[in-house]
Amino acid sequence: MAIFLSSAGKANARPPRITGPVFTASLALAGLLIASGAALAQGAYPSGPASVNMSCVQANALVTKAGGTVLNTGGLTYDRYVRDRSFCTYFDVTKPAFVPTRDVKQCFVGYTCIDPSIENGGRR
């Protein structure tokens, strides 16, 4: 239990009420922090373009033009797709990648980079 003293020195007086521009600014700052936290939470998943909303030709052209990009392949499923091995790390190799698109269930969009030193050529 907190003990507050009034200006007259009486114990257990009501705590001072915060009002005015300082309170308003503090409230606005708290609102901004909450909003930015929500934005960061949304950024936990890459918000790349969704392959399921594109035609196969569009998805392939996007990867080819960008060289390497993250595609959302439906829901919270996403991966990084590359045009060629030059967009992978030095030790990685490429594996052909197929994603669902609006018009094709398994559309070739490019490659994914895999680390061959991991057992069975697994992903990192």
Side-chain angles (χ1 to χ4, degrees):
M1 175 181 198
I3 298 176
F4 296 98
L5 296 176
S6 69
S7 58
K10 294 182 179 178
N12 289 333
R14 288 184 168 215
R17 199 167 239 218
I18 301 172
T19 59
V22 172
F23 177 72
T24 305
S26 299
L27 190 59
L29 179 61
L32 286 173
L33 290 174
I34 290 170
S36 66
L40 287 173
Q42 289 175 350
Y45 297 102
S47 58
S51 67
V52 293
N53 295 333
M54 297 183 233
S55 69
C56 184
V57 172
Q58 289 172 323
N60 185 283
L62 178 68
V63 173
T64 301
K65 182 179 179 183
T69 189
V70 174
L71 283 178
N72 179 326
T73 57
L76 294 178
T77 308
Y78 56 89
D79 205 346
R80 182 171 181 267
Y81 300 95
V82 297
R83 175 176 59 215
D84 56 52
R85 189 173 173 273
S86 68
F87 292 90
C88 300
T89 63
Y90 181 76
F91 295 104
D92 284 352
V93 296
T94 56
K95 177 181 174 185
F98 299 86
V99 299
T101 59
R102 185 178 60 221
D103 56 345
V104 179
K105 285 187 179 184
Q106 293 294 312
C107 170
F108 173 77
V109 291
Y111 303 91
T112 55
C113 302
I114 62 169
D115 184 348
S117 67
I118 297 176
E119 186 178 343
N120 296 326
R123 307 295 296 276
R124 283 188 213 191

